[in-house]
Amino acid sequence: MVDRDLTRGAISGHFRALALPAAVGMLFSTLYNVVDVYFAGQISTQAQAGLAVGFQAFFINMAVGFGLGGAMGALVGKAKGGKDEVQARRLAVQGISLGVLLTLGLMLVAVWLGPAMIALVSEPGEYRDAGTSYFRWLIFALPGFLLAYGGNGVLQARGDTKSLQRALMVAFFANVGLNPLFIYGVPGVVPGIGFNGIALSTLCSQTGVMLYIMYQVFGRKIMQGLTWAEFRPDPAVYGVILRQMLPTSLSIAVMFTTGFVIQYYLKEFGGSAVAAYGIALRVEQIMLLPVLGMTGALLPIAAQNFGAEDPARVREAVFFCWKLGFAMMAVACPVLWFGGEWAMGLFTDDAEVIRVGVSYLHVDGFVLPFYMMLFSINSFLQAMQKPIWSLWIGIYRQGIAVALFVWLLVRVFELGIWGVWLGVAIAVISGWGMAMLVASRVARQVIGGLWVRP
């Protein structure tokens, strides 16, 4: 398994090598979720609404995994760029052991926290019960998700995005087969378990992803000859990882909390509105897949060149990411504007669900470029080991701004469901302005500026 040196060679070539496999992997990850939405829709609209609120609660817990993956990508990437393989190994091993401990603790907390969050954003009845049951099954899938993301951070730092791509492709096809098997069973042989079969399918397939990613991590040259003593918690290294991880995890938790703010206001419009939002998010994610792959590739490229003390290549990577991102958005935005109704119709034939989902996608089509910029700035800040700024940006945009602007437009100006969508859009755009100011300041501090002429 050969690592990739991102400190030499064409930046465009590194983006192509890293971003394409990452985007393909994310495509299959999103299609994986699309399969779940489809089978939930075969049961009922209430089941789709339950899937939406249960999935949102579960993903707040996964903020730990995303944060750990980002920390590993930044720290191990910088160590590799600086040619310090001893430190890269130490960080990778300690990151995995920390991930195990955090996962166990989070599973215990999730038993209480998840149902409480679902109750907050739903009305008593069928879709709340479905969401709570779905979440409880998914608690057992947390190790598969969290350790897979943490391990993938190590692989990404070494220039490997293909391993996760392969794992997610296999998981998608497994999910296609396991969903109907667990929902409906085999007539006359094994009974199905209904809606909860969707969660059981996720548990099985995602555990397989985690096992494959760990196999790839421990197959790396820097991990050869490991001893159990190396996994023993080292408070100093744990501290380094946590300082890089916690701001990212907290900012992602705030981001997922935004979904609960939105669902809190949507619940007064009924289960159809909640289901529409859940489906529209899947459509949005498909449009953002190339951008997510590209901005994800920026992290290891910038981190390795930061470790190699080459600020010019860091700046080159950031600007290349932005130029390519705007080209992608020139395609994605019109697709959402003109193809939203067709896309919603793939998942439901409920006219009200389609109408509400299309209204969200029409507004969302205008803010996609701002999402692209925000994602890339977050990757840049992580690579520069300044993740605390991502947290402050997230607290403003996804916490304060969403709650404030949605409240104003729904409660004060009485714009109804359009007030929810427009409030989110205003929060995104104002958050982008804040992020640009922060990125410029951090760049001046660590690489001599972002807008420096070559």
Side-chain angles (χ1 to χ4, degrees), residues 265-342:
Y265 284 96
L266 289 179
K267 71 178 182 179
E268 64 187 68
F269 302 104
S272 293
V274 177
Y277 177 62
I279 295 171
L281 281 180
R282 299 293 183 269
V283 177
E284 174 193 68
Q285 288 169 359
I286 292 173
M287 292 296 100
L288 285 172
L289 286 173
V291 166
L292 291 171
M294 178 193 64
T295 56
L298 176 61
L299 173 56
I301 294 172
Q304 283 200 23
N305 285 287
F306 181 48
E309 300 181 353
D310 191 343
R313 280 178 67 86
V314 174
R315 287 190 288 270
E316 182 184 355
V318 172
F319 287 117
F320 182 86
C321 182
W322 287 349
K323 287 187 291 185
L324 187 57
F326 281 116
M328 292 175 177
M329 291 300 93
V331 175
C333 293
V335 170
L336 281 189
W337 296 331
F338 301 112
E341 184 174 357
W342 172 80

Side-chain angles (χ1 to χ4, degrees), residues 56 121 254-264 277 398:
Q56 191 72 40
V121 298
V254 172
M255 177 183 70
F256 290 131
T257 302
T258 301
F260 278 91
V261 173
I262 295 170
Q263 287 170 342
Y264 175 80
Y277 177 62
Q398 296 152 328

